[in-house]
Structures are given as C-alpha cells and as structure tokens.
Amino acid sequence: MTAQPTTGSRDPRDPRDREAAVRTVETVFRMESPRVIAGVTRLVRDVGIAEELAQDALVAALEQWPRDGVPDNPGAWLMATARHRAVDLIRRRETYARKLAEIGRDPSAGVAPPPEPTDPDDIDDDLLRLVFTACHPVLSAEARTALTLRLLGGLSTAEIARAFLVPEATVAQRIVRAKRTLATRNVAFEVPHGPDREARLGSVLDVIYLIFNEGYAATAGDDWLRPALCEDALRLARVLSGLMPKEPEVHGLTALLEFQSARAATRTGPDGEPVLLKDQNRARWNRMLLARGVTALGLADATAAGAPGPYVLQAAIAACHAHAHRYEETDWPRIATLYALLAARAPSPVVELNRAVAVSMAEGPAAALPLVDALTDVPALRDYHLLPSVRGDLLARLGRTAEARAEFGRAASLTRNARERELLLRRAAEAGA
C-alpha cells in the first residue's frame, strides 16, 4: 500500500506542500469514509469499531501522504488500510478465543464474521446494508437518523445538530448510545426481508433524504453544494426502488431526488456562489434526470393504493418546477395546494414555511406574511436562517425595505455556510439600495 507520488516536484518539509496534502487527505476521507465504514462493518460487524478503524486509516494517511505523496486511488488506499487493520483485529480475537478454549473457558461465539446472506432477494451493497442496520428498530427515530448521517453521510456532530435544530451535545449522545446499542444487541449487518424491511423503511427514506439535502444545500463550510452526498443518496434511492418496486414512497423519494439532481449544476455560479431558482438557466437542467424523475413519479402513482405519501407529494411539487420552461410559467397555485396536502399529511414548521412561499407566489406577499409571522415563535425555527430569509423576501416585495434589510442580516448571522452568508448579505445590501 505504498503511496505513489503525485506528478510534479514536492518537498514534505515545505509547509505549503504539507498543508496541501493534509487538505487532500481530509477531503478524500470525507468523501470516502462512508464506503470505508460500510466495507469494514461487513468484516467486524460493529459500526462503532468500523468507524474507529476508518479513523485509524485517516491517521495513517495523514502520516504518509504528506511524506510520500497522494496515492493514485486514495479511496482504495483508505479502504485497504482499514480492512487490513480489521483483519488484524479479527485475528487477535480468534487467537484470544483459542487461548480461552485451551484453558477450558467458553469463548464468546461469533468471533469471526458470519457468512454473507444468501437470500436471492438480498443486495450486495454495503452502503445500503449500513443504512438498514443503523435504522434498526432498537434505536429511536432520532438516533437512527443521526447515526446514519454520521456514518454514511460523513457529517460531523455539529452539522447533524444544525440539520436537526438541536444542541450538538444531544446529537453526540445519540450517536454514542446508538453505536453501543447496536453492539450490545448484536444487530445483524444486513438488508432485512419481509415485515422487518417494511418496519425500517420510513427511517431509511428519511435518512436518504437528509443526506441528499445536506449535499444539496450544505449546512456549514465554504461550499454551497456537496455533490458526493447527493450522488450517494440518489444511488441508494435507485437501489431501493429496485429492491422494493411496489412501495410508492420509495419511488416518490427517487423521483424527488432525480428532479432535484437535474437542477444541481445550475444552482451555483462560476465562482461557486448560490444561484436562486428564478435565476437558473433552465436550458442547462439535466433532461435525462428530469425524464427519470417523471418515470419514477409515474411508478409511484401506479403503485399507490390510497392518498399520496409525503415523498410522492414533494416529488409532485418538484415536477411542477420541472415542467415550467420559464420561472414565470410555474404553476404556483398547484404547488400551494400540494404543500397544503403535505402539511396535512406530514405537518412540520418547515413545510408551513415552504407553503407560505408558494402562497406568496400564487396570491402575493401580503397573503403569505401572516403565515410566516405565525412561525416566528416556533422554538424549532428560532435559529433557522431560512425563516428570516423568507420573511425578508416578503417584506422587500412589500416595499418595507428597512425591515427586509434587518431580516436578511439576521438570516446571514444564523447560517454557517459561507456561500449562503454572502448571498444573504448581498440581498440585505440590495434591500438597502
């Protein structure tokens, strides 16, 4: 596993070269850690230990890459390093078990990894297995999502806390307890079958959706988009659609992510700055992904037996945007109606905020402002930057520029994403002008 130096001369003693290598290590690890953790979990059958082994591989990379150069395939290097350490750990366990047997003690069963599932309905996809394992019913709904975002999404506890709108310490406790529970309850590393699979499906869909959202609009950092997260989430949704073809919500989530992914390339400008929906070049939307979204939404409608679920409704909203050739042609009354159905089906303050935006476009900002004002005292939205951002937009459209400027400024102070902060400060300046 010797690293192959990158092209060009470099000096490991040069602080600039070393800093560049360290940044590369951190970037690669952020992208590859979910696959490394999932692959190692297959061996050690413990997500907590797998995460520790992945961290060991990160430490090894930080030691070797600045000195020897970045490998040609850094993801494979990390995986090989982590798996090598996993095999060493398993061998030490087996040696210990044999020694216990030799002195007459009963060693713990299951030291070596159990055989892979042979059910033909199973899928050989470690990432998807990791999602279903982390979404086991022995964990609370909050713990399932937090753990999977940590392991599969590669998010820090601070980023997860931001996504959940809860304190960072709360998320850290959830993750630690979740890993301990999975280990002590010997939860199998598998995609379950039958009723067990259906029982976990809701949490799995929520996790995939949250991972995509973090990639689509990063909660923190210098980049507005994190494409790798979007790609992983979309791939998982597609795999899940093949695995559960009769589940309309699975197709609904897949359709939603296809539609959203189709617009991804137009959501940032040449310098990485955010581009609002109304300013996006729709000619650059990915037609293949839009077509896949239409197909997936059709499958959701065809398999639905009753009222549409939350993901089918969100996909229908995204389809309205996809069908509009120009922003001015968007069917905002239909979107407002769909958001009203979504609010009834899956009520939440964020859904109400989105409904208010649709109402403002369908009926005008004066009709929407009371809806937004009603959310200002909701505890979950107290530090949610999009609430003052939406309120600032409505006030600006009503000509109340001083109030709008203050709201955009407050929104900028709440976001932890540098690109989004720049956008909000620019909007505050424009409101002042």
Side-chain angles (χ1 to χ4, degrees):
M1 293 183 296
T2 303
Q4 299 298 317
T6 54
T7 58
S9 61
R10 56 181 307 281
D11 184 355
R13 296 169 298 180
D14 188 331
R16 291 172 298 180
D17 284 347
R18 179 171 181 81
E19 289 174 6
V22 169
R23 286 196 300 270
T24 300
V25 172
E26 293 172 347
T27 300
V28 170
F29 184 77
R30 181 122 181 177
M31 296 171 59
E32 298 293 337
S33 63
R35 295 178 180 83
V36 174
I37 293 170
V40 174
T41 302
R42 181 199 287 263
L43 293 175
V44 299
R45 303 287 160 160
D46 186 310
V47 294
I49 293 176
E51 187 179 18
E52 292 175 4
L53 293 171
Q55 291 289 339
D56 288 346
L58 170 63
V59 172
L62 287 170
E63 292 174 349
Q64 296 184 37
W65 293 7
R67 181 188 67 228
D68 303 332
V70 178
D72 292 334
N73 191 334
W77 191 99
L78 289 170
M79 177 68 81
T81 301
R83 287 175 65 88
H84 177 74
R85 300 190 179 210
V87 170
D88 286 345
L89 176 63
I90 292 170
R91 286 172 178 166
R92 289 197 299 271
R93 287 177 174 177
E94 291 174 335
T95 301
Y96 178 64
R98 284 196 298 270
K99 289 181 178 179
L100 288 179
E102 288 171 0
I103 61 176
R105 294 174 60 184
D106 183 23
S108 300
V111 174
E116 293 298 320
T118 56
D119 192 304
D121 193 32
D122 198 9
I123 16 178
D124 185 18
D125 191 302
D126 287 340
L127 283 174
L128 195 60
R129 291 181 187 186
L130 182 60
V131 176
F132 270 95
T133 300
C135 291
H136 196 281
V138 297
L139 304 178
S140 68
E142 295 83 4
R144 296 173 208 166
T145 306
L147 180 61
T148 310
L149 286 173
R150 170 71 174 174
L151 298 178
L152 186 77
L155 275 65
S156 67
T157 53
E159 290 169 333
I160 299 171
R162 183 70 175 177
F164 280 149
L165 306 177
V166 297
E168 186 175 343
T170 300
V171 172
Q173 291 175 357
R174 288 176 184 171
I175 292 173
V176 170
R177 291 171 182 168
K179 289 191 289 189
R180 185 184 305 127
T181 300
L182 291 176
T184 57
R185 299 289 289 272
N186 294 318
V187 172
F189 181 61
E190 64 180 6
V191 176
H193 308 282
D196 288 342
R197 182 186 297 170
E198 295 174 5
R200 297 190 217 175
L201 181 60
S203 290
V204 170
L205 295 179
D206 290 345
V207 165
I208 294 174
Y209 182 54
L210 282 172
I211 291 172
F212 183 89
N213 275 352
E214 178 59 29
Y216 200 65
T219 56
D222 297 328
D223 297 321
W224 174 239
L225 297 178
R226 294 173 60 187
L229 288 182
C230 292
E231 291 167 4
D232 273 343
L234 179 55
R235 186 182 64 81
L236 287 169
R238 289 172 178 170
V239 171
L240 202 59
S241 291
L243 181 67
M244 308 182 75
K246 297 182 180 179
E247 290 290 340
E249 278 291 84
V250 174
H251 294 303
L253 176 64
T254 304
L256 174 61
L257 303 194
E258 299 279 11
F259 284 132
Q260 302 291 67
S261 296
R263 306 202 305 256
T266 64
R267 296 188 70 246
T268 54
D271 297 325
E273 71 278 9
V275 178
L276 300 177
L277 178 62
K278 65 183 180 65
D279 299 322
Q280 291 173 15
N281 181 358
R282 300 188 175 217
R284 293 182 56 221
W285 286 1
N286 189 308
R287 298 299 163 186
M288 182 189 71
L289 294 179
L290 290 176
R292 293 182 68 116
V294 171
T295 300
L297 185 55
L299 290 172
D301 292 336
T303 55
Y311 288 114
V312 175
L313 288 170
Q314 291 180 74
I317 292 169
C320 289
H321 292 294
H323 291 316
H325 295 293
R326 296 187 305 120
Y327 182 75
E328 294 75 15
E329 298 174 2
T330 306
D331 190 350
W332 288 109
R334 173 166 171 74
I335 292 176
T337 299
L338 289 170
Y339 267 121
L341 293 174
L342 181 60
R345 186 74 169 80
S348 82
V350 174
V351 171
E352 283 296 328
L353 183 61
N354 287 328
R355 184 173 77 88
V357 172
V359 168
S360 77
M361 300 304 298
E363 305 175 24
L369 188 58
L371 301 178
V372 175
D373 288 343
L375 299 173
T376 55
D377 292 329
V378 176
L381 297 183
R382 188 165 296 148
D383 296 323
Y384 188 52
H385 69 282
L386 291 182
L387 177 59
S389 174
V390 169
R391 193 167 188 275
D393 181 72
L394 298 179
L395 291 169
R397 290 164 59 190
L398 289 170
R400 296 160 60 175
T401 55
E403 295 171 84
R405 184 168 62 253
E407 288 295 319
F408 285 131
R410 180 169 180 269
S413 70
L414 290 175
T415 184
R416 294 174 60 188
N417 184 280
R419 294 294 189 177
E420 195 168 23
R421 186 180 302 112
E422 293 171 1
L423 171 65
L424 291 166
L425 290 174
R426 186 170 70 251
R427 297 201 69 189
E430 291 171 353

